[in-house]
């Protein structure tokens, strides 16, 4: 019998010849051309990386990545992070072709205002984008957090025969990510934590913006990652699908070590004149070169035209839906076997507070208020954590090697150790080591993954090291909580290297960051409660090392703390001639100044303003009731005066310090820098146009 190919034409009129399935190279070329054309149309962007990593993307996304394009929020999906976020068009091409809700018109509007395809991948803008990337090195650190979250959640919720949390985290990264120090911090942790389901593909193309990297990036990257405890696969041809499949299979077989796949690639692959050069990194190829690349890639279709057979081969919707349905069936079986656990997991993945939280928070606040303790606010913060932790099993604390100073641990918290992680056990307290930036970026990944309510501590001074990850949290509308202790010269003898001066002010400048500087234990307890309720912004808790006295409050005042600003002590007689505004350690100082002024016959009000962010959210009536217009204002804070002018106006006064601190005992430093109740009294008299207190005349 003749085989079909041998059938004589005249015997059976040939049906339409079956269309040959597109080659894997052709499928990768679809990504290349989409990237090249979108960048050309936008007249800006980065075509080189997508063209260089397209074959790797084809291997991963078409053959290994477990996702459901119709449900990018499916909890057990694999996470994919494009750490070299400048290559955003690669991710948009992948999302588009695999069937996510991202149409060709979205691709056409690459980089345009309000498009779903912004210049860098932005979390919340594009379905399927797991994190905002672009600031190099942070994507891989986020991915470490995601992989850790998976491991911890699996340890806590999976049961015999019910592996309902079982997914992988995949990362693309470039030389830039590896040059950034934060990749060291995070990847070192990934090795220590045995994150076997984390796999990173290094786009080893030898090119960054300034040209060939040999002049500034001579590290032995494979040896570096091996030293972290990673499984390293060297010298993989990043343009050979079979070699990539083999490397991915090897990575999948690892369960105790993360894997780095070192892929040799050519940036701008396919471009006859720009491939392999930094010219293709971050600029459109140009119309002529685009045409030449089309010819070189044998891609006869017009811009944004994808032939049906290429679309069909990329379409992941059916396979994704089947995978998702299989998981849903397994989750239903889990829910039947372990109904309470399943409900709890669902709650945690939604990020909702448990039912009893409000009652617990209220009771805890009443207790703190009744205790009237004089303690450091860092200690009050620890008490607050302890009072709420039992109601919040999702709480995941940690510190950058300052647990005993930040007081971020609590009775009953369980340190997460490498041994426990290797044994498939979890915990709820992370020792990040001395890695502030890595900690904050990992915490972003933990938060993005879902299932945990993370917080982390360091000295306020070293928020500087972490700063860009704080900004990314604020930008992404994530809600991690930072415990920043040792908040001013009040930390004393460690001296100016450790004494924050401008940090509170600069944190307040960050959009969408709530900064609390509570004045005593009651305000600290409220700050924690408000922070834990946040769904869409991070919170910095700025806390004292030194003891701060308890301030008495009525029930209404206690309720008002959450508003961020309220009247703590009304002027005698109720008609203030001036308003003293303070927070943190200077609240007591303002209260003392009020008493001194009263003895001088000057009635003033004390306003506590622990959170500008919350106060600004109050309606105008509340704000005016606290800070009445046309009543002169005097503010005091042990930090730079910048920012306070907005609060006190041009006629007010600000007491602070605009230089660095000094080494010495705290009390001596407050005197030395003139942050005293006497200074507040003098400033108040001045704004009221009164003579200064005569020398010899007592302030008291
Ligand atoms: C933290 C940070 N610094 C600088 C940049 C600007 N930048 C974007 S891409 C890039 C070069 C990255 O080189 P590589 O990762 O090798 O990317 P490739 O040239 O291979 O696309 C730089 C410096 C950035 N995005 N983030």
């Amino acid at each position: 019998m003749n085989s079909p190919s041998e059938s004589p034409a005249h015997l059976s009129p040939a049906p339409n010849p079956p269309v040959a399935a597109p080659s894997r190279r052709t499928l990768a070329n679809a990504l290349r051309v989409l990237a090249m054309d979108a960048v050309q149309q936008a007249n800006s962007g980065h075509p080189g990386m997508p063209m260089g990593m397209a074959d790797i993307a084809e291997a991963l996304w078409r053959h290994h990545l477990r996702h459901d394009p119709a449900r990018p929020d499916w909890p057990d999906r694999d996470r994919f992070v494009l750490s070299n976020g400048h290559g955003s068009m690669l991710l948009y091409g992948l999302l588009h072709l695999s069937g996510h809700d991202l149409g060709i018109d979205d691709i056409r509007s690459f980089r345009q205002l309000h498009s779903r395809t912004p210049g860098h991948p932005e979390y919340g803008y594009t379905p399927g984008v797991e994190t905002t990337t672009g600031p190099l090195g942070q994507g891989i650190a986020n991915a470490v957090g995601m992989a850790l979250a998976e491991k911890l959640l699996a340890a806590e919720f999976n049961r015999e025969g019910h592996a309902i949390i079982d997914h992988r985290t995949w990362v693309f990264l470039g030389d830039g990510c590896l040059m950034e120090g934060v990749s060291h911090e995070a990847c070192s942790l990934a090795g220590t934590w045995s994150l076997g389901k984390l796999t990173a593909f290094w786009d080893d193309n030898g090119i960054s913006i300034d040209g060939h990297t040999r002049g500034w990036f001579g590290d032995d990257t494979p040896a570096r990652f091996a030293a972290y405890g990673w499984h390293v696969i060297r010298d993989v041809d990043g343009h050979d699908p079979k070699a990539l499949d083999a490397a991915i299979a090897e990575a999948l077989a690892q369960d105790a070590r993360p894997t780095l796949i070192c892929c040799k690639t050519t940036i701008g692959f396919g471009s006859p004149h720009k491939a392999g050069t930094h010219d293709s990194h971050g600029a459109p190829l140009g119309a002529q070169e685009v045409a030449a690349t089309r010819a070189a890639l044998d891609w006869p279709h017009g811009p944004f035209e994808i032939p049906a057979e290429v679309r069909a081969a990329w379409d992941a919707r059916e396979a994704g839906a089947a995978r998702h349905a299989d998981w849903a069936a397994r989750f239903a079986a889990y829910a039947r076997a372990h109904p309470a656990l399943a409900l709890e997991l669902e709650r945690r993945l939604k990020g909702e507070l448990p039912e009893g939280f409000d009652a617990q928070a209220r009771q805890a606040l009443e207790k703190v208020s009744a205790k009237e303790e004089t303690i450091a606010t860092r200690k009050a913060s620890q008490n607050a954590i302890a009072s709420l932790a039992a109601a919040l099993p999702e709480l995941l604390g940690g510190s950058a090697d300052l647990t005993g100073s930040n007081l971020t641990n609590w009775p009953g918290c369980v340190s997460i150790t490498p041994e426990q992680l290797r044994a498939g056990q979890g915990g709820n307290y992370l020792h990040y080591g001395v890695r502030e930036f890595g900690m904050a970026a990992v915490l972003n990944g933990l938060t993005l993954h879902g299932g945990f309510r993370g917080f982390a501590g360091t000295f306020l001074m070293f928020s500087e090291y972490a700063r860009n990850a704080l900004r990314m949290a604020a930008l992404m509308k994530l809600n991690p909580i930072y415990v920043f202790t040792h908040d001013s010269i009040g930390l004393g003898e460690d001296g100016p290297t450790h004494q924050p001066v401008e940090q509170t002010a600069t944190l307040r400048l960050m959009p969408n960051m709530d900064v609390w500087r509570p004045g005593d234990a009651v305000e600290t307890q409220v700050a924690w409660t408000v922070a834990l309720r946040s769904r869409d912004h991070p919170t910095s808790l700025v806390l004292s090392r030194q003891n701060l006295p308890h301030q008495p409050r009525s029930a209404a005042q206690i309720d008002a703390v959450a508003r961020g600003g309220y009247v703590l002590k009304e002027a005698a007689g109720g008609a203030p001639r001036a308003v003293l505004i303070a927070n943190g350690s200077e609240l007591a100082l303002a209260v003392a100044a009020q008493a001194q002024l009263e003895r001088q016959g000057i009635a003033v009000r004390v306003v506590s303003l622990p959170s500008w962010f919350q106060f600004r959210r109050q309606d105008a009536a509340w704000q005016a009731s606290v800070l009445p217009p046309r009543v002169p204002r005097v503010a005091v804070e042990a930090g730079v005066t910048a920012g306070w002018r907005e609060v006190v106006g041009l006629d007010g006064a600000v007491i602070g310090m605009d230089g660095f601190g000094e080494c010495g005992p705290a009390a001596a430093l407050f005197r030395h820098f003139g942050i005293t109740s006497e200074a507040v009294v003098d400033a108040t008299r001045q704004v009221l146009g009164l003579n200064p207190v005569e020398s010899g005349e007592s302030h008291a």
Side-chain angles (χ1 to χ4, degrees), residues 49 86 134-136 174-177 180 203 205 207-209 267 281:
M49 178 286 218
H86 56 279
L136 297 173
D175 305 311
C177 292
E180 288 291 352
D203 184 25
N205 60 20
I207 294 290
S208 65
I209 293 183
I267 191 168
H281 164 91

Side-chain angles (χ1 to χ4, degrees), residues 326-469:
D326 169 63
W327 178 84
R330 287 189 289 113
F331 188 81
Y334 172 75
R336 280 192 299 278
H338 306 282
L341 264 183
L343 280 177
E344 176 67 356
L345 177 58
E346 281 176 332
R347 175 188 76 78
R348 288 193 27 187
L349 288 170
K350 278 189 223 145
E352 285 169 359
L353 288 168
E355 239 170 51
F357 179 79
D358 286 346
Q360 176 95 8
R362 211 174 315 112
Q363 269 174 20
L365 179 58
E366 277 165 18
K367 267 197 196 154
V368 172
S369 180
K371 258 188 160 174
E372 304 188 356
E373 267 185 314
T374 289
I375 51 173
T377 51
R378 63 177 169 145
K379 179 66 190 161
S381 160
Q382 186 177 44
N383 293 345
I385 298 166
S387 72
L388 299 170
L392 278 180
E394 58 267 50
L395 209 59
L396 182 57
S399 166
D401 205 38
L402 285 169
T403 297
S405 298
N406 300 145
L407 303 181
T408 30
N409 56 353
W410 65 95
C413 74
V414 178
S415 283
I416 292 164
T417 67
E419 296 74 29
Q420 277 166 304
L421 285 170
R422 273 196 292 278
Q425 293 159 8
N428 54 10
Y429 192 84
L430 284 160
H431 298 273
Y432 288 97
V434 193
R435 300 180 179 91
E436 295 80 11
F437 191 8
M439 172 173 76
V442 166
L443 183 53
N444 284 347
L446 282 162
T447 307
L448 284 159
H449 181 280
F452 295 98
R453 195 71 176 81
F455 72 90
T458 184
F459 289 151
L460 175 60
M461 190 65 247
F462 305 128
S463 62
E464 299 279 340
Y465 277 51
R467 180 172 290 268
N468 201 264

